[in-house]
Amino acid sequence: MADEVVVFRVWDSPFSYRVELALALKGVNFRRAEEDLKNKSSELLLYNPVHKKIPVLLHAGKPIAESLVILEYIDETWKQNPILPVDPYERANARFWATYVDDKCLEILWRACWTRGEEQQKCISEAGERLRTLETALEGKKFFGGDTIGFVDIVVSFLTPWMEVLQEMARIRLLEEENYPRLCRWVRDFSSCDVVKETRPPREKLVAFFATLKPPN
Amino acid sequence: MADEVVVFRVWDSPFSYRVELALALKGVNFRRAEEDLKNKSSELLLYNPVHKKIPVLLHAGKPIAESLVILEYIDETWKQNPILPVDPYERANARFWATYVDDKCLEILWRACWTRGEEQQKCISEAGERLRTLETALEGKKFFGGDTIGFVDIVVSFLTPWMEVLQEMARIRLLEEENYPRLCRWVRDFSSCDVVKETRPPREKLVAFFATLKPPN
């Protein structure tokens, strides 16, 4: 098993999912090592001593941490079905939007769902602005990657079903068709891809899981 | 000037400097477009509408923002003197540490110099831990990139002279030889490279500039 590929993951993590979707797009077989974040395995602590976080990709005994770093590694290691474009300028654009999502969207979207009252209203408004900016990256394109799923699509994959479930539980609606026609279409197109349907966690399981974290309003 | 290379920058910015050092390492000629951050140019706002920040690299009329994204673009566009390694695993390691520096070191080091009292003590202690982690990345190596300056060295370049000047003004000493022998050696080795000496802002000019922001203790 010298070339074994293992993903240290948690089934409900959108960051783990990025790695698993990229491997699935490449047709790379891998083993899932499920972690208990309240009792992390000695392997996880050994393989990611700096952040002690999932996901970690272990390939031929070598560990790689941080989901964006792992995605680049996957694309450079298994060349089939590239997830980044070939052209340096287009690659820069993909990296720009991936960083934008991680730095500017993730936390505020999460907080828009998990806060209440005045703070929630502020977060909803700020999240809306960020989504409006993200919407511009889809101009004239089916996926962020063009005609097929690419780097940014993988990074944005938390919009479905994670964000859908969270919005339902918080009884808010961030992604209205009227205001975000491209992102709403993207959610539909992305969700209907076979590779996505086959790999992502079941919506009902996520609903049940999030309900244990905090009761809905 | 179809292929003109322009860096929208501020002379005192360590983020602008990353881009300029990478271009210098590649031997790429470029024009500096100095920005006034209190009165940003219409070009900067046009080229980086999302963040409205420097640095922006303009190459053949196409703008790229975000310093790490720009560094990858430079390395992919001008192949001479590579700043990232060839091996995918080593590339992943370089990207991991670059992200670590940006996400975990920059702000806390800055705050360790600009806060006071109890908050400062907390920041100094936390900054120390981050630097200890960063120190491990230099094990057995002259530069983060190995024998020559690479991606991570460019990203860490704010340690000198920026951090040196800030520490002097704050009358604190974060990087003690005793505790961080590798990082201290790195500062000396990096500072003595010709390309670094030729490109970075003069220390005295930085001292004078930071003094206008806030008086020393």
Side-chain angles (χ1 to χ4, degrees):
Chain A
M1 305 290 273
D3 278 348
E4 193 190 23
V5 179
V6 188
V7 178
F8 291 81
R9 52 96 85 168
V10 168
W11 71 268
D12 58 278
S13 160
F15 300 100
S16 297
Y17 182 62
R18 291 176 176 178
V19 175
E20 296 177 32
L21 176 56
L23 290 170
L25 284 164
K26 297 278 185 180
V28 174
N29 289 323
F30 63 96
R31 177 165 70 80
R32 292 173 178 81
E34 191 72 25
E35 283 290 327
D36 172 1
L37 297 186
K38 288 185 191 136
N39 184 22
K40 294 174 184 174
S41 73
S42 53
E43 281 170 301
L44 179 63
L45 301 178
L46 175 70
Y47 292 142
N48 189 2
V50 173
H51 300 297
K52 303 176 178 64
K53 281 184 179 172
I54 54 99
V56 168
L57 179 77
L58 188 73
H59 179 214
K62 290 180 179 173
I64 302 128
E66 299 283 86
S67 66
L68 296 190
V69 175
I70 297 172
L71 293 183
E72 297 253 13
Y73 175 84
I74 289 172
D75 209 34
E76 290 175 353
T77 301
W78 295 281
K79 306 281 189 191
Q80 64 274 27
N81 306 326
I83 55 177
L84 276 165
V86 174
D87 176 68
Y89 185 69
E90 286 177 35
R91 292 167 75 84
N93 263 332
R95 291 184 179 118
F96 174 89
W97 286 111
T99 308
Y100 179 78
V101 168
D102 273 11
D103 291 354
K104 301 291 179 188
C105 300
L106 278 178
E107 191 187 336
I108 196 73
L109 285 168
W110 176 265
R111 288 180 57 217
C113 294
W114 286 96
T115 53
R116 293 293 175 266
E118 205 177 310
E119 197 191 342
Q120 185 174 38
Q121 289 313 311
K122 227 176 112 183
C123 291
I124 289 175
S125 156
E126 209 167 319
E129 278 177 41
R130 306 287 166 88
L131 290 172
R132 240 182 304 284
T133 300
L134 186 60
E135 171 103 353
T136 65
L138 272 175
E139 197 178 336
K141 294 196 288 192
K142 181 173 182 180
F143 295 109
F144 291 94
D147 294 332
T148 54
I149 292 176
F151 194 69
V152 183
D153 300 280
I154 295 170
V155 171
V156 179
S157 60
F158 71 93
L159 284 186
T160 171
W162 287 267
M163 275 308 297
E164 292 170 328
V165 170
L166 287 173
Q167 287 174 89
E168 263 173 43
M169 295 181 71
R171 295 177 194 171
I172 61 168
R173 196 84 209 116
L174 293 166
L175 268 186
E176 295 281 12
E177 185 80 34
E178 195 179 301
N179 296 321
Y180 308 99
R182 292 178 204 140
L183 279 170
C184 289
R185 183 182 39 69
W186 179 89
V187 166
R188 287 192 298 273
D189 288 339
F190 183 80
S191 302
S192 65
C193 290
D194 285 341
V195 65
V196 172
K197 284 192 278 188
E198 285 158 15
T199 52
R200 66 184 184 172
R203 187 191 178 88
E204 314 72 49
K205 203 176 160 190
L206 275 182
V207 171
F209 172 72
F210 282 127
T212 66
L213 295 186
K214 194 172 178 180
N217 287 357
Chain B
M1 304 290 274
D3 277 348
E4 193 190 25
V5 179
V6 188
V7 178
F8 292 81
R9 51 95 86 166
V10 168
W11 72 268
D12 58 278
S13 161
F15 299 100
S16 297
Y17 181 62
R18 291 176 177 178
V19 176
E20 296 177 32
L21 176 56
L23 290 170
L25 283 164
K26 298 279 185 180
V28 174
N29 289 323
F30 62 97
R31 177 165 69 82
R32 291 173 180 82
E34 191 72 26
E35 283 291 327
D36 172 1
L37 298 186
K38 288 185 192 136
N39 183 22
K40 295 174 184 175
S41 74
S42 54
E43 280 170 301
L44 179 63
L45 302 178
L46 174 71
Y47 292 142
N48 189 2
V50 172
H51 300 297
K52 303 176 177 62
K53 280 182 179 173
I54 53 99
V56 168
L57 178 77
L58 188 74
H59 179 215
K62 291 179 177 172
I64 302 128
E66 298 285 86
S67 67
L68 296 189
V69 175
I70 297 172
L71 292 183
E72 296 254 11
Y73 176 83
I74 288 173
D75 210 34
E76 290 175 351
T77 301
W78 295 281
K79 307 281 189 190
Q80 65 275 26
N81 306 327
I83 56 176
L84 274 165
V86 173
D87 176 68
Y89 185 69
E90 286 177 35
R91 292 167 75 84
N93 263 331
R95 292 184 179 119
F96 174 89
W97 286 111
T99 308
Y100 179 78
V101 168
D102 274 10
D103 292 353
K104 302 290 180 187
C105 300
L106 279 178
E107 191 187 337
I108 196 74
L109 285 167
W110 176 265
R111 289 180 57 217
C113 294
W114 286 96
T115 53
R116 293 294 174 264
E118 207 178 309
E119 198 192 341
Q120 184 174 38
Q121 289 313 310
K122 227 176 111 182
C123 291
I124 288 175
S125 156
E126 209 168 318
E129 279 177 42
R130 305 287 167 88
L131 290 173
R132 241 183 304 284
T133 300
L134 185 61
E135 171 101 355
T136 66
L138 271 175
E139 198 177 335
K141 294 195 289 192
K142 181 172 182 180
F143 295 110
F144 291 94
D147 294 332
T148 54
I149 292 177
F151 194 69
V152 183
D153 299 280
I154 295 169
V155 171
V156 179
S157 60
F158 70 94
L159 284 185
T160 170
W162 286 267
M163 276 306 298
E164 292 170 327
V165 169
L166 288 173
Q167 287 174 87
E168 265 173 42
M169 295 181 72
R171 295 178 195 170
I172 61 168
R173 195 85 208 114
L174 292 166
L175 268 186
E176 295 281 11
E177 184 79 35
E178 195 180 300
N179 295 322
Y180 308 99
R182 291 179 203 139
L183 280 170
C184 289
R185 183 182 39 70
W186 178 90
V187 166
R188 288 192 297 273
D189 289 340
F190 183 80
S191 302
S192 65
C193 292
D194 284 343
V195 66
V196 172
K197 284 192 278 189
E198 286 157 15
T199 53
R200 67 185 185 170
R203 187 193 179 88
E204 314 71 52
K205 201 175 160 191
L206 275 183
V207 171
F209 172 71
F210 282 128
T212 66
L213 295 187
K214 194 172 176 178
N217 287 359

